[in-house]
Amino acid sequence: MARQLRTRTSRPNYAALAGLHEDDNGAGPSIVTQEFEEDDSGSDFAPDPVADDQAQEEAEDMVLDAEGDIDEEERQTKRKRSVPSTREKSVLDYRSASVISKGKKGPAKTPKRSVTVVPGLAFSSSKQTYALPSLHHRHRSTGVYKKEGKIERLTCPPELFQLEKTTLTNAWASSEVVSGRVNKSWGHNVGPGPLWELIEDRGWFKEARSTIETLERGLRPRVYENVALGPYEILTPNDATSYLPTDVGTTEEGALKPPPPIACAFGPFGKQTRREIEMFEAFKMAEYFPKSKSHVFNAGAPVWGLDWCPIHPDDRERSGYKQYLAVAPFPSKSHSPMIGTRVQRPSPACVQIWSLERKGSHNSDGMDVDGAEDSGEMRCEMVLCIDSGPAFEVKWCPLPSNDSLEDSDDAHEHPRKLGVLGGTFEDGSLTFYAVPDPAAIRPSTGGPVDRPLLGKSACIKLPKPLLRIELEEAMCWCFDWANSEVVAVGTTIGTIAIYNVGKGLWSEGKPMLPTHYFTAHQSAIRSLAWVRAPVISATGEVTEDNPTVVASGGYDGVECITDIREMGGNVVNRTRDVVTTMEFSTYTGSIATIDHENMIKAYSVFTSTLGRGHTVLEPNGPIWSLSASDYHPQLAIGVTDGSCLTTNTMRTARRGSLVPFLEHKIYQLDYSRALGEYRMLENFLPKETQNRPAASRQNKSIPVGTGAWPPEVGIHRVVWNDGNGLGRTPLLASATGSGLCRVDWLLGRWMRDQAPYTGIEGIRGETAGVFAEDDESD
């Protein structure tokens, strides 16, 4: 006997379900939706019209199915069936919904098909079912860690070598009013750097032990005070030659040659001056641009590792607010590492420690003798000679780990440590070193100090590291600190290993095993970043546990977020390129990384918008490096075409705003293959960010780059100066494939030079009142 199919039943009126008015013909409301012009919002949050209609139909079908269950049960009750129904009751209750429109009766109910809704499942699996306030609206970024109470802020513009003047103010998450005002105010920044009035520390570290801390010394305490500086050897310049960057060729006797000077043109466009920069030479860009505070120096070879050293607040004034920068160059410009190929130890390489300090000719106010503000000078203080091979990535411990300067009288008898420096090296290891303080060993260095090769730099050999981690089956390729104890390591076989190095530094000689080890990618992991946010307990309290979420990107083009408690990656995006960088933005609560077509996207890790992404910027070339700060929302970008860019990630949320979406090109490095010389251009005008997909749909042409650039001009690494207080966070360091490195002092600017809410007091809620900006829609 053939199977008999159930007759198809009609569907109820959709307007009756929603409680809307119908017209006389029963066709539904006459004015329900609003028509918009076809214009792209520039955001990935804007739903596709076709997909949105389809998702809406699916959701309505599910609603009808759920109501069909209710009607079916009512009919069964009226029939007084002797056998009760075994169908599970739906967890969704729509009896409270109005099914009769006002003033008119709805159509008579007809039998409906019944489908059981599985508990725990949403109505639709479509990603386009969420509601948006407007087609031209952008979701405003929200931080993951919401610190309440008070926090420090600046009361006057910061000076590089002076104590910053601060006062306590309401933290951005102290109330909804303050949070909304602060976020809106950041959108009024049209400068390349942060707005000094709004700078605040939003970073979280479990070492703070409490969420009520307000001062920096409580939020970022000193760590590893009992870790002693190990033995080291002071090398002569001749002995240190094999560790320093060298030229590609050798002399007739087979000896190594120092790299040739780099010929580069500096100055305004059309009036540039050619200059040759020797290795370890530095100069100020004020020689070519009088108001510039930038510095340029030559590390000798392409640089892959770059990071600022945190100094404890109690020691900054004693050291003259000197800033230290770790620079890790390759052995030569022709060096090319292979993924998964180790070098055997000993493999000579070096890590240079550069300093930015005030000039010798200054008065007590930190000013030059001619009255101008002291921009300082760069100097290579020390060269660490190591046998682990060149570094792929170096990062200082994010919290201050330097020895106190109170006992500086016996510094020559007991040298101090500057901090704990970790890095992944070509021998396949993750190695941690205790770096000596250059100020404590420079007076005792032996040998001549007037050699042009090394100048006054001290060459220190560190024969034994604090800790070395190696895996038999893979190389350590990248890593990131979660706090002062826990690190995550990405390997060349696609696995992630989590280590508690804090315990490893105290237990010398014992084997170091990972606390977590799992596979996240199908190929080598190129970059990863911790989501530095506290773990929330079941009662809603902030715990002192270590962070548990890691974002990673690999050579397979997969970008995923992994909770180490589950050890299963959640893919947020797939791209047709190598994911060269991954950065967590504390201010926006998102992971900034790359996408196809050279785009930079931010994927939210906030609960309500988890995994949602939007385009931040579209440079003209592939991205090498990204850097986000705990003190401000400015994102720094290093691009393959030689451009160093910055942009505001908390720009205004609506396209119709008067504040434009700007990208700032700090400088661009060019190279002439015919002449073998470089050219550094700067003083570019800000450019409004273009939306290429929207422009292509509107048949607009946007100029793009050639797609082929010399490898020497790529900006390999960019990094903001975090961990040295509110007054030093505008410092941005960048390193290139030519060996030229640069340090810039960048500050923001209010739109039309006018702060909203009548000033910072109104923004922070320090003064009561209602402002016109409060009535503006997000």
Side-chain angles (χ1 to χ4, degrees):
M1 178 178 179
R3 184 168 59 123
Q4 183 177 3
L5 298 178
R6 184 175 53 186
T7 59
R8 187 176 184 88
T9 59
S10 61
R11 298 183 178 181
N13 189 285
Y14 295 156
L17 285 175
L20 301 175
H21 292 284
E22 293 184 271
D23 56 18
D24 296 336
N25 298 326
S30 60
I31 302 177
V32 178
T33 59
Q34 183 179 357
E35 296 294 335
F36 293 95
E37 297 179 0
E38 293 185 0
D39 190 9
D40 190 83
S41 65
S43 172
D44 287 352
F45 291 112
D48 182 75
V50 178
D52 187 62
D53 294 342
Q54 182 179 1
Q56 184 176 358
E57 292 179 0
E58 294 176 0
E60 290 170 348
D61 289 344
M62 297 293 288
V63 172
L64 300 178
D65 294 341
E67 186 166 336
D69 294 339
I70 299 173
D71 296 339
E72 184 70 21
E73 291 173 3
E74 291 178 354
R75 290 196 303 271
Q76 292 172 0
T77 304
K78 292 180 180 179
R79 294 174 185 173
K80 297 181 180 181
R81 295 174 56 181
S82 58
V83 180
S85 173
T86 59
R87 178 176 296 146
E88 182 181 358
K89 186 176 181 179
S90 174
V91 297
L92 303 172
D93 189 6
Y94 288 91
R95 289 191 176 96
S96 61
S98 175
V99 296
I100 303 177
S101 60
K102 298 180 181 179
K104 292 183 180 296
K105 293 184 178 181
K109 293 185 178 180
T110 56
K112 308 174 185 66
R113 56 191 178 94
S114 175
V115 178
T116 301
V117 180
V118 181
L121 294 183
F123 276 153
S124 173
S125 61
S126 174
K127 295 184 179 180
Q128 302 291 342
T129 58
Y130 51 88
L132 292 174
S134 171
L135 183 64
H136 293 268
H137 186 275
R138 293 172 180 267
H139 281 276
R140 188 175 294 280
S141 303
T142 305
V144 179
Y145 169 55
K146 297 184 177 181
K147 175 177 170 47
E148 301 177 350
K150 299 293 184 178
I151 198 67
E152 283 184 301
R153 71 167 177 88
L154 295 172
T155 59
C156 61
E159 296 181 5
L160 186 55
F161 302 110
Q162 292 294 312
L163 176 65
E164 57 267 28
K165 298 179 181 179
T166 62
T167 186
L168 292 182
T169 186
N170 296 320
W172 78 278
S174 58
S175 67
E176 293 183 2
V177 175
V178 174
S179 178
R181 291 180 180 179
V182 170
N183 288 344
K184 288 181 182 179
S185 300
W186 273 115
H188 288 255
N189 182 18
V190 294
L195 295 165
W196 64 266
E197 296 95 336
L198 295 177
I199 293 176
E200 67 173 309
D201 187 3
R202 295 192 187 180
W204 177 83
F205 296 94
K206 73 167 189 177
E207 289 80 358
R209 303 295 181 188
S210 173
T211 59
I212 62 174
E213 291 289 346
T214 58
L215 301 180
E216 184 186 1
R217 57 177 49 87
L219 295 174
R220 297 173 181 263
R222 194 193 305 268
V223 295
Y224 295 127
E225 296 184 65
N226 297 326
V227 174
L229 182 66
Y232 60 87
E233 179 184 356
I234 301 176
L235 302 180
T236 62
N238 291 332
D239 296 336
T241 302
S242 60
Y243 294 91
L244 302 176
T246 59
D247 195 4
V248 178
T250 58
T251 62
E252 296 180 356
E253 293 80 11
L256 298 175
K257 296 190 303 182
I262 296 178
C264 186
F266 300 93
F269 182 75
K271 300 179 181 179
Q272 290 192 312
T273 304
R274 183 181 182 273
R275 179 168 185 166
E276 292 187 355
I277 307 102
E278 298 282 350
M279 185 170 62
F280 299 119
E281 181 184 352
F283 64 92
K284 297 193 295 184
M285 290 301 297
E287 300 179 14
Y288 306 97
F289 299 94
K291 296 183 180 180
S292 177
K293 296 183 181 180
S294 303
H295 301 264
V296 176
F297 60 92
N298 182 13
V303 176
W304 272 30
L306 190 73
D307 198 22
W308 294 95
C309 177
I311 302 296
H312 195 267
D314 296 337
D315 301 325
R316 293 170 190 165
E317 186 175 2
R318 296 187 181 96
S319 62
Y321 298 96
K322 181 186 294 187
Q323 308 298 307
Y324 291 98
L325 184 66
V327 182
F330 276 0
S332 66
K333 66 178 183 180
S334 62
H335 184 79
S336 179
M338 297 293 294
I339 302 175
T341 303
R342 306 172 187 258
V343 296
Q344 299 297 322
R345 288 191 296 266
S347 178
C350 73
V351 176
Q352 304 169 8
I353 307 298
W354 288 77
S355 68
L356 176 60
E357 59 181 347
R358 63 177 63 180
K359 297 191 303 183
S361 56
H362 65 277
N363 51 29
S364 59
D365 296 331
M367 310 289 285
D368 287 341
V369 292
D370 56 357
E373 184 180 348
D374 187 6
S375 60
E377 59 183 359
M378 295 291 300
R379 177 184 301 173
C380 183
E381 296 275 350
M382 183 172 59
V383 179
L384 301 178
C385 301
I386 57 178
D387 294 325
S388 302
F392 299 140
E393 189 171 20
V394 293
K395 291 183 179 180
W396 296 92
C397 175
L399 296 179
S401 55
N402 62 297
D403 291 337
S404 176
L405 297 181
E406 293 182 357
D407 303 328
S408 58
D409 296 335
D410 59 346
H412 301 306
E413 299 180 3
H414 303 284
R416 305 182 301 266
K417 73 174 184 295
L418 181 63
V420 176
L421 179 67
T424 53
F425 297 89
E426 200 172 1
D427 64 347
S429 67
L430 172 65
T431 309
F432 299 89
Y433 293 97
V435 179
D437 189 346
I441 64 174
R442 275 184 55 195
S444 60
T445 55
V449 296
D450 56 348
R451 290 177 57 91
L453 179 63
L454 295 179
K456 297 182 180 180
S457 305
C459 298
I460 305 298
K461 184 177 181 181
L462 302 177
K464 184 178 179 182
L466 286 176
L467 179 65
R468 177 176 282 131
I469 297 174
E470 292 182 285
L471 297 173
E472 182 179 358
E473 67 277 10
M475 290 177 58
C476 298
W477 193 249
C478 59
F479 85 108
D480 190 30
W481 297 83
N483 44 48
S484 64
E485 297 179 352
V486 178
V487 297
V489 188
T491 68
T492 54
I493 61 173
T495 56
I496 296 178
I498 311 296
Y499 290 92
N500 191 327
V501 297
K503 296 181 179 179
L505 294 177
W506 294 107
S507 56
E508 296 184 1
K510 296 183 179 180
M512 188 69 181
L513 298 178
T515 60
H516 302 75
Y517 188 79
F518 53 92
T519 300
H521 295 266
Q522 296 180 352
S523 60
I525 298 176
R526 182 64 177 84
S527 58
L528 54 78
W530 281 98
V531 177
R532 291 191 183 128
V535 178
I536 307 300
S537 65
T539 59
E541 298 179 354
V542 177
T543 66
E544 296 180 1
D545 296 337
N546 295 311
T548 60
V549 179
V550 182
S552 59
Y555 283 84
D556 55 357
V558 174
E559 299 159 353
C560 65
I561 299 177
T562 306
D563 193 325
I564 62 176
R565 294 171 296 185
E566 300 177 355
M567 293 192 297
N570 300 285
V571 178
V572 296
N573 186 40
R574 295 179 183 269
T575 181
R576 299 185 296 271
D577 204 348
V578 177
V579 184
T580 54
T581 180
M582 187 79 62
E583 190 76 6
F584 172 65
S585 175
T586 307
Y587 268 68
T588 61
S590 59
I591 296 294
T593 183
I594 70 166
D595 199 1
H596 62 277
E597 303 295 337
N598 303 329
M599 289 192 297
I600 301 174
K601 280 194 173 182
Y603 296 94
S604 175
V605 296
F606 193 68
T607 307
S608 60
T609 56
L610 181 63
R612 305 298 178 188
H614 67 275
T615 302
V616 177
L617 194 67
E618 298 183 33
N620 289 331
I623 294 90
W624 258 104
S625 176
L626 297 174
S627 178
S629 175
D630 290 340
Y631 293 83
H632 57 81
Q634 295 296 115
L635 183 68
I637 306 109
V639 192
T640 309
D641 65 349
S643 300
C644 179
L645 309 174
T646 62
T647 190
N648 183 12
T649 57
M650 294 190 69
R651 53 202 184 191
T652 180
R654 194 174 283 272
R655 291 194 65 197
S657 173
L658 298 178
V659 183
F661 302 163
L662 297 178
E663 61 180 81
H664 302 269
K665 183 178 292 186
I666 309 304
Y667 69 91
Q668 181 163 2
L669 188 65
D670 293 336
Y671 179 70
S672 174
R673 292 185 176 92
L675 301 177
E677 298 180 358
Y678 296 87
R679 179 182 64 172
M680 185 173 289
L681 302 174
E682 55 185 294
N683 275 4
F684 291 91
L685 291 175
K687 186 175 65 173
E688 190 170 4
T689 303
Q690 301 291 335
N691 191 321
R692 298 185 188 276
S696 61
R697 286 192 292 268
Q698 298 174 3
N699 295 326
K700 294 181 180 179
S701 60
I702 298 178
V704 295
T706 62
W709 301 275
E712 295 85 355
V713 303
I715 310 297
H716 287 175
R717 190 75 62 179
V718 290
V719 57
W720 290 103
N721 188 1
D722 281 356
N724 286 290
L726 303 178
R728 263 63 60 184
T729 189
L731 286 173
L732 175 66
S734 55
T736 70
S738 64
L740 291 178
C741 303
R742 178 163 166 148
V743 173
D744 292 276
W745 174 266
L746 305 176
L747 285 174
R749 184 173 66 86
W750 293 105
M751 179 69 175
R752 297 176 180 173
D753 295 325
Q754 183 178 2
Y757 304 98
T758 69
I760 186 61
E761 293 80 8
I763 296 174
R764 291 290 182 179
E766 299 173 6
T767 57
V770 179
F771 302 92
E773 291 85 353
D774 290 329
D775 298 331
E776 296 178 359
S777 174
D778 286 345

